[in-house]
Amino acid sequence: MAVFKKVEARQAPIGSRGIILWARENLFSSPLNIALTIFGIALLLWIIPPFVNWSIIDAHFAGTTNTHPKVGANWVFIKVKMSMFLYGFYPEVDRWRVKLAYALFLIVIAVFKYGKGAIFKTSSVAIYFLVAYILIKGGIFGLNEVGYDKWGGLLLTIIISVVGIVFSFPLGVLFALGRKTDLPIIRSLSISYIELMRSVPLITVLFMSSVILPLFLPEGVTFDKLVRALVGLVIFESAYVAEAIRGGIQAIPTGQYEAADAIGLSYWEKMLLVILPQALKVAIPNLVGIFISIVQNTTLVMIIGLFDLLAMVQLTASDSHWLGFETEGYVFVTAIFWAFCYAMSLFSKSLEKRFNTSNK
Amino acid sequence: MLAFLRDRKVRGYIFQLLIISAFVAFMWYIGVNTSHNIEQRGIRTGFGFFHSTAGFGIDDSPISYNPSDTYARVFLVGLLNTLIITFASIVLATILGLILGVLRLSKNWLIRKLSAAYIETFRNIPVLLQILFWYNVVLRSLPSPRESIGLFGDVFLNNRGLYIPEPSLNTTTISIIISVFVVFIFLFFLNRWANKRQEVTGEDFPVLLTGIGLLIVVPFLTYFISGANFNFSHPHLAGFGFQGGKQFYPEFVALTLALTIYTGTFIAEAVRGGIEAVKKGQKEAAASIGLSHYQALKLVILPQAIRIAIPPVINQYLNILKNSSLATAIGYPEIVTVFAGTTLNQVGQAIEIISITMLVYLVISLVVSALLNWLNFKMKIKER
Amino acid sequence: MENKNDIIEIRNLNKWYGDFHVLKDINLNVKRGEIVVVAGPSGSGKSTLVRCINYLEQFQEGHIIVDNVELTDDVKKIKAIREDVAMVFQSFNLFPHLTILDNLTLAPIWVKKTPKKEAVKIAMEFLDRVGIADQAKKYPNQLSGGQQQRVAIARSLCKNPSVMLFDEPTSALDPEMISEVLDVMIELAQSDKTMVCVTHEMGFAKKVADRVLFMESGQIIEENNPEDFFENPESDRLKLFLSQILSH
């Protein structure tokens, strides 16, 4: 038998720790690596300085008139046109209503996150939508009516995104349940719908809802262009939501179904109380991905004549006083979309982490 | 009677019966309204319009087309253009995605971060925005033909497109194409022979290296043997435009660029996912039984990584197909632009035209999905 | 054939999975308060038989009558039977997104329309009885396997069933947790509950069972009281089975 004396921990030798080691291992470990590092640095030098020059150093921020030389970015254009980018054609006097709707939205999100009880949360969201609609559309309670054709820019993009997400979700749940059911007719109808919507481009569905939908309606009944676009978007996206939720449902072990059956729950009780809560948790990363693509897909409405944020770029750049500033417009709009979509993807990653650690 | 209604199976039938009746009633209602509306607006029905003259021009067409052709030919041009741009973008996006995905896992920190930055940037920008950006900002700001940017002497870039020399279809080109086919067939049999030889003698044969060498040397030799003359048609300035050579229209270039750059990010992530999904223990086990880095890659890692990566990659190919429809925004004459766009505007038969357009995409998607299922089935890792 | 003492009556039960004849001419009567243990090799159909009793599995021929209600496709009858027959699963099947307490009160609140306060009171009583009262606010995945299975037993007790079915309740547990679950089951056996248990735990069978059944290839081969079942097996197949499970 041998007994050993305890050895205290020491610091590592100099060459094998710290930033020198890190650089050696990660940037310069082999000839190939060295070459790659040099290539990477060259790439950065090729892209970043000219862009910084154009967008910040040589750029123009001051004033409100088109008098600057064409060298750097002319952000004055954006400043001047900002209200069009944000509100479209919404009358200036009534814009406070839009801002109020945004503020209430933030409050509702807080309620949703910190509130308790599914019924309370759902009804507060529903009430918010009603209030927001009245605020933005107007026409009653002494508010001026602002028609759908005046809605544009970021306001329209947000409205289409939110409506698209909110309405495609329950429809997607129904189709997912329909696809998993034993009843053959419902299952075939659901599968056909889902596969059809996932095989065709969104633009064809938007064309269909814009041009064909009016033909389906009795004489005299018309829907505004915006409503038709929303119908098309929801019909399309609900198929993708359905597939994401189906993935979640398939991850639930059959034992859960059996236990729910054994304690006597009906089909709808079983689905609403036991299966769907678990399925939705599993499906969240995919669902957030779909919601991000809904936001990106809102840009397609410009093809059917709605003036969302992207359409504003071309519209504002065709002002005869401010010709030729499309680049600035595109850069501005790109920044907004990118920031929003990137933020949503970070949110999704953090959700994934949270649900991975809480329960299996 | 009441007990009958409480039977589970009976309830199932009744429920389905209700759904079908509601569905049929709904269809009936729509049908009645539609036929009434069609009559009212004087829209014709049927597919006779396919034989009518189109009356509009299409610049970028792979087959000959002039305005006196029929709508049927318009449909064909649109369909071909859809397939061409989808195929071109798939090839380019795959190459880009593969490179990016591998770089994303590189040991070099800088390269890893650059690759990640690229991916995070371009997949969070809507693809329509990217298309419009390339078309309106980059390509429109190119100079006019008289002041074209010249590259490598014979390639020209201007606001009418990209012009490259085009080899004519003579003995030289055809021989080279045939020689490439021959090399591939030879390599197939070489591989079989090398595998058999390895089973018997245990000796390895460098098929991949031989293959790369042959693909370079053989077409080269064929070029010289068959007359060393491509008979290039060179693009040259004639008047205000270019004559000769092959012209890639700005719409085509913008759409391909945007689709490649956007979809490349998703393919890169799929590739990365496939490689990362191969458990670390596999690499360690391969190393501990003495396989070289390259052998481990070929025999252990890649086979598993590919199985995982293929479904999402095929999914991205389908997305390229669907996103090609955004050509409408810039006027590239694929099927949505010329058929569901111009033709629909002129003929007015929305139901027939949009249905046919959707059917085209549906058929192509189903074929690709069926291929994917077959592929997955063949490569499935057997389980208990 | 309606003996008022029989709470479960199974007559000429036959079940096929596709072409595979999984239950062959099963005839079984279980008296009120009786404890029946079903043993046999895997694939013998014992789990399938027990799962037929609360209609988790459907059968093509035969009759099952539980507490004077016959099992058919009638939704009302199925519901009535499931309120009276409880099941404890091998893989516990607790609902992971609900607390222990919520797992127990779910059925009483939604199926029996019990007011919440009363449901909670009843739930806490049963949690106490199985020894888990202090874990009521935790989530299933925070508990050990043995604790989860005891919660599952408490969950099935909440609706005061006459019959309790156990489908290999300890087979998924680590050895050191088996006894805590068996203790609860033994305590239940001493109450007035009728129990049908599929289990490999022969010690349990010897201690509390009134009758032990041996099943193989879809048939009940032999049945006897526990002593004679283990000491004096009659059929060759039972002798073989006993030698296999008792040898180690």
Side-chain angles (χ1 to χ4, degrees):
Chain A
M1 200 186 79
V3 180
F4 298 91
K5 215 168 77 163
K6 182 173 175 199
V7 178
E8 295 293 337
R10 282 186 292 136
Q11 265 214 328
I14 298 236
S16 64
R17 62 179 162 96
I19 192 161
I20 315 241
L21 170 72
W22 178 88
R24 273 222 328 250
E25 286 199 338
N26 288 300
L27 293 175
F28 301 112
S29 62
S30 69
L32 176 63
N33 241 351
I34 298 178
L36 282 176
T37 307
I38 295 180
F39 171 71
I41 296 181
L43 196 63
L44 285 173
L45 285 174
W46 184 56
I47 299 180
I48 297 191
F51 182 71
V52 170
N53 255 341
W54 175 83
S55 60
I56 302 181
I57 300 183
D58 292 335
H60 315 288
F61 296 93
T64 52
T65 52
N66 185 5
T67 50
H68 299 285
K70 273 218 175 256
V71 173
N74 193 338
W75 298 121
V76 181
F77 165 69
I78 302 289
K79 252 178 28 182
V80 165
K81 295 290 180 183
M82 183 65 90
S83 60
M84 282 212 75
F85 279 113
L86 292 181
Y87 301 105
F89 313 103
Y90 209 87
E92 199 166 334
V93 296
D94 293 308
R95 289 199 187 138
W96 62 271
R97 286 152 52 179
V98 174
K99 295 182 194 168
L100 182 57
Y102 286 158
L104 289 175
F105 187 61
L106 292 175
I107 295 181
V108 166
I109 294 205
V111 163
F112 201 77
K113 190 166 174 208
Y114 297 112
K116 293 257 182 271
I119 305 208
F120 171 64
K121 287 194 213 177
T122 333
S123 44
S124 51
V125 169
I127 294 179
Y128 167 74
F129 280 125
L130 190 60
V131 167
Y133 178 74
I134 294 178
L135 268 179
I136 298 183
K137 182 99 195 311
I140 53 174
F141 298 140
L143 298 169
N144 297 332
E145 171 148 21
V146 181
Y148 296 134
D149 52 325
K150 299 262 189 313
W151 301 5
L154 185 61
L155 170 63
L156 187 60
T157 298
I158 291 180
I159 290 179
I160 298 179
S161 305
V162 170
V163 171
I165 292 176
V166 166
F167 282 87
S168 61
F169 185 74
L171 203 57
V173 169
L174 285 178
F175 278 116
L177 290 178
R179 189 165 180 164
K180 294 296 289 178
T181 185
D182 294 323
L183 306 172
I185 293 189
I186 301 188
R187 198 172 62 233
S188 346
L189 281 178
S190 303
I191 293 183
S192 313
Y193 176 88
I194 293 176
E195 290 306 317
L196 175 65
M197 283 302 148
R198 294 183 68 221
S199 304
V200 298
L202 174 56
I203 194 70
T204 56
V205 176
L206 287 177
F207 279 0
M208 178 182 82
S209 69
S210 299
V211 176
I212 299 187
L213 207 60
L215 294 176
F216 289 167
L217 301 167
E219 211 181 322
V221 177
T222 52
F223 284 128
D224 184 273
K225 205 163 37 168
L226 174 60
V227 176
R228 281 181 262 153
L230 287 172
V231 168
L233 183 64
V234 167
I235 289 181
F236 180 79
E237 296 289 352
S238 59
Y240 289 83
V241 172
E243 284 296 273
I245 294 182
R246 174 171 85 111
I249 291 182
Q250 282 179 177
I252 309 298
T254 35
Q256 293 291 305
Y257 290 89
E258 291 179 348
D261 279 335
I263 64 177
L265 296 176
S266 74
Y267 175 80
W268 285 108
E269 285 165 350
K270 176 170 59 179
M271 283 304 170
L272 286 171
L273 295 172
V274 178
I275 305 296
L276 279 178
Q278 300 182 58
L280 286 175
K281 276 208 192 124
V282 174
I284 281 193
N286 286 340
L287 282 175
V288 176
I290 293 176
F291 294 159
I292 293 180
S293 74
I294 290 183
V295 171
Q296 294 194 10
N297 283 341
T298 60
T299 52
L300 268 71
V301 301
M302 68 169 271
I303 299 182
I304 53 173
L306 290 169
F307 289 98
D308 75 316
L309 181 59
L310 183 54
M312 279 302 153
V313 175
Q314 288 173 317
L315 196 61
T316 52
S318 58
D319 179 345
S320 49
H321 294 297
W322 293 91
L323 281 175
F325 290 112
E326 281 164 339
T327 316
E328 282 84 345
Y330 279 116
V331 171
F332 177 64
V333 168
T334 302
I336 296 184
F337 271 111
W338 182 86
F340 187 72
C341 293
Y342 185 61
M344 273 181 87
S345 74
L346 286 181
F347 176 64
S348 158
K349 284 190 195 130
S350 82
L351 272 182
E352 237 178 304
K353 247 187 243 158
R354 183 149 68 103
F355 285 123
N356 269 340
T357 54
S358 71
N359 49 24
K360 209 163 55 87
Chain B
M1 173 64 184
L2 235 50
F4 176 69
L5 285 175
R6 289 201 305 259
D7 187 308
R8 272 196 343 193
K9 291 207 192 76
V10 171
R11 281 195 176 186
Y13 288 138
I14 293 184
F15 189 57
Q16 290 182 89
L17 199 61
L18 281 173
I19 297 274
I20 278 254
S21 315
F23 186 65
V24 168
F26 182 63
M27 287 286 136
W28 183 262
Y29 178 67
I30 291 182
V32 165
N33 283 334
T34 311
S35 48
H36 176 77
N37 283 325
I38 288 184
E39 231 185 276
Q40 270 255 316
R41 302 177 198 199
I43 304 177
R44 280 188 294 257
T45 52
F47 298 99
F49 70 89
F50 271 115
H51 300 302
S52 313
T53 314
F56 62 93
I58 299 179
D59 279 336
D60 193 352
S61 168
I63 54 177
S64 75
Y65 171 85
N66 61 67
S68 59
D69 281 320
T70 60
Y71 286 118
R73 198 154 177 89
V74 168
F75 176 78
L76 190 57
V77 171
L79 181 59
L80 285 173
N81 272 335
T82 297
L83 293 172
I84 290 176
I85 199 151
T86 305
F87 183 72
S89 305
I90 284 181
V91 168
L92 292 173
T94 309
I95 297 176
L96 181 62
L98 268 170
I99 297 177
L100 275 175
V102 170
L103 288 182
R104 183 80 179 73
L105 296 169
S106 161
K107 284 208 206 88
N108 186 314
W109 176 88
L110 185 61
I111 296 293
R112 240 185 9 241
K113 291 299 173 191
L114 281 177
S115 172
Y118 172 96
I119 293 175
E120 287 304 324
T121 306
F122 286 103
R123 75 168 173 184
N124 284 315
I125 303 178
V127 63
L128 180 57
L129 178 46
Q130 295 190 38
I131 295 175
L132 290 174
F133 181 83
W134 286 111
Y135 187 66
N136 286 319
V137 175
V138 177
L139 273 87
R140 284 250 201 94
S141 61
L142 288 173
S144 67
R146 290 195 155 196
E147 289 145 38
S148 303
I149 303 175
L151 303 160
F152 316 125
D154 235 347
V155 173
F156 297 98
L157 194 58
N158 57 50
N159 63 10
R160 301 257 193 97
L162 174 70
Y163 294 85
I164 61 173
E166 185 178 19
S168 65
L169 219 56
N170 62 5
T171 5
T172 317
T173 23
I174 297 187
S175 322
I176 293 191
I177 295 178
I178 293 182
S179 72
V180 170
F181 269 112
V182 167
V183 169
F184 272 116
I185 296 179
F186 174 73
L187 284 175
F188 176 71
F189 286 109
L190 181 69
N191 195 32
R192 285 240 300 244
W193 169 84
N195 283 337
K196 281 216 179 78
R197 192 180 88 131
Q198 187 183 24
E199 276 173 31
V200 174
T201 67
E203 277 179 57
D204 204 8
F205 190 84
V207 175
L208 184 63
L209 284 174
T210 319
I212 294 181
L214 282 177
L215 274 174
I216 298 179
V217 167
V218 169
F220 204 63
L221 287 177
T222 323
Y223 171 71
F224 282 113
I225 296 177
S226 61
N229 186 10
F230 276 123
N231 205 0
F232 275 117
S233 159
H234 296 274
H236 54 274
L237 190 53
F240 284 104
F242 268 79
Q243 297 274 8
K246 169 106 185 93
Q247 179 189 20
F248 292 104
Y249 285 84
E251 290 81 6
F252 177 83
V253 175
L255 191 55
T256 311
L257 264 176
L259 286 177
T260 302
I261 293 180
Y262 179 73
T263 319
T265 64
F266 295 96
I267 294 183
E269 287 292 270
V271 166
R272 174 170 83 111
I275 297 181
E276 279 186 345
V278 180
K279 299 200 247 279
K280 190 156 149 252
Q282 298 286 306
K283 300 181 188 115
E284 294 175 345
S288 68
I289 60 175
L291 293 178
S292 76
H293 184 63
Y294 170 67
Q295 283 170 323
L297 209 59
K298 174 177 127 174
L299 298 169
V300 176
I301 310 289
L302 281 182
Q304 297 186 61
I306 286 186
R307 278 174 173 81
I308 298 180
I310 283 202
V313 168
I314 302 268
N315 209 13
Q316 290 308 319
Y317 291 171
L318 288 175
N319 280 341
I320 290 183
L321 171 69
K322 288 184 272 184
N323 282 333
S324 70
S325 62
L326 295 175
T328 315
I330 57 174
Y332 176 71
E334 45 73 70
I335 195 166
V336 172
T337 316
V338 300
F339 193 62
T342 319
T343 307
L344 176 54
N345 279 335
Q346 294 184 212
V347 168
Q349 296 182 229
I351 298 183
E352 287 89 340
I353 292 182
I354 295 187
S355 310
I356 294 179
T357 312
M358 284 181 151
L359 196 63
V360 165
Y361 285 101
L362 182 61
V363 166
I364 302 180
S365 294
L366 287 179
V367 166
V368 172
S369 297
L371 269 167
L372 172 63
N373 283 335
W374 175 81
L375 201 64
N376 258 345
F377 179 70
K378 287 240 104 175
M379 299 204 313
K380 207 165 140 74
I381 296 184
K382 303 271 176 282
E383 291 179 358
R384 246 179 333 134
Chain C
M1 267 273 266
E2 266 119 47
N3 189 340
K4 281 293 160 49
N5 260 341
D6 285 343
I7 193 165
I8 302 178
E9 208 181 313
I10 303 178
R11 297 206 302 264
N12 300 324
L13 181 64
N14 279 286
K15 178 180 166 66
W16 287 263
Y17 274 133
D19 273 337
F20 177 52
H21 197 171
V22 61
L23 290 176
K24 302 173 184 159
D25 290 333
I26 305 282
N27 282 287
L28 177 64
N29 285 13
V30 180
K31 297 200 196 39
R32 269 178 218 282
E34 197 179 353
I35 315 288
V36 175
V37 167
V38 184
S42 69
S44 55
K46 45 194 205 296
S47 279
T48 313
L49 172 61
V50 163
R51 287 151 64 94
C52 282
I53 299 181
N54 73 342
Y55 218 54
L56 283 183
E57 302 276 357
Q58 284 135 52
F59 49 93
Q60 286 84 356
E61 271 180 32
H63 301 270
I64 298 185
I65 301 165
V66 177
D67 211 357
N68 287 316
V69 178
E70 174 157 6
L71 257 185
T72 58
D73 269 323
D74 187 329
V75 285
K76 197 160 164 206
K77 293 192 180 164
I78 296 174
K79 193 164 181 214
I81 287 182
R82 284 185 178 159
E83 282 179 20
D84 210 23
V85 175
M87 183 154 212
V88 177
F89 299 86
Q90 181 176 353
S91 46
F92 337 134
N93 290 338
L94 293 180
F95 304 131
H97 60 297
L98 301 175
T99 62
I100 302 295
L101 188 60
D102 287 334
N103 260 278
L104 264 69
T105 56
L106 186 68
I109 292 180
W110 288 90
V111 179
K112 286 217 161 126
K113 316 275 189 248
T114 318
K116 184 153 182 198
K117 269 218 184 89
E118 203 183 316
V120 170
K121 182 159 154 285
I122 297 177
M124 290 305 294
E125 271 171 30
F126 284 116
L127 281 179
D128 199 37
R129 187 163 161 192
V130 302
I132 314 258
D134 53 335
Q135 314 276 9
K137 292 294 185 174
K138 290 207 178 145
Y139 285 89
N141 287 337
Q142 295 173 295
L143 270 54
S144 73
Q147 290 171 318
Q148 288 187 52
Q149 192 62 297
R150 286 189 276 153
V151 171
I153 296 178
R155 177 173 69 175
S156 58
L157 286 172
C158 274
K159 46 188 190 175
N160 224 352
S162 322
V163 177
M164 293 190 70
L165 307 172
F166 290 85
D167 187 2
E168 304 209 33
T170 56
S171 300
L173 295 175
D174 289 331
E176 65 267 18
M177 299 194 232
I178 295 183
S179 56
E180 70 191 61
V181 175
L182 286 181
D183 285 339
V184 171
M185 288 168 68
I186 291 173
E187 194 247 314
L188 279 176
Q190 285 153 357
S191 69
D192 59 349
K193 303 259 180 254
T194 312
M195 290 165 65
V196 179
C197 300
V198 174
T199 183
H200 297 304
E201 295 295 324
M202 294 302 129
F204 171 77
K206 279 191 200 167
K207 215 171 186 174
V208 297
D210 294 315
R211 235 196 313 171
V212 184
L213 267 53
F214 175 65
M215 275 186 78
E216 205 210 34
S217 305
Q219 276 183 279
I220 301 180
I221 306 285
E222 189 172 328
E223 62 175 271
N224 220 330
N225 59 66
E227 254 183 64
D228 291 322
F229 185 88
F230 290 107
E231 309 298 331
N232 309 315
E234 280 180 32
S235 62
D236 286 333
R237 284 140 116 187
L238 180 54
K239 289 185 189 152
L240 178 61
F241 177 67
L242 286 174
S243 72
Q244 284 168 334
I245 63 167
L246 296 175
S247 59
H248 57 276

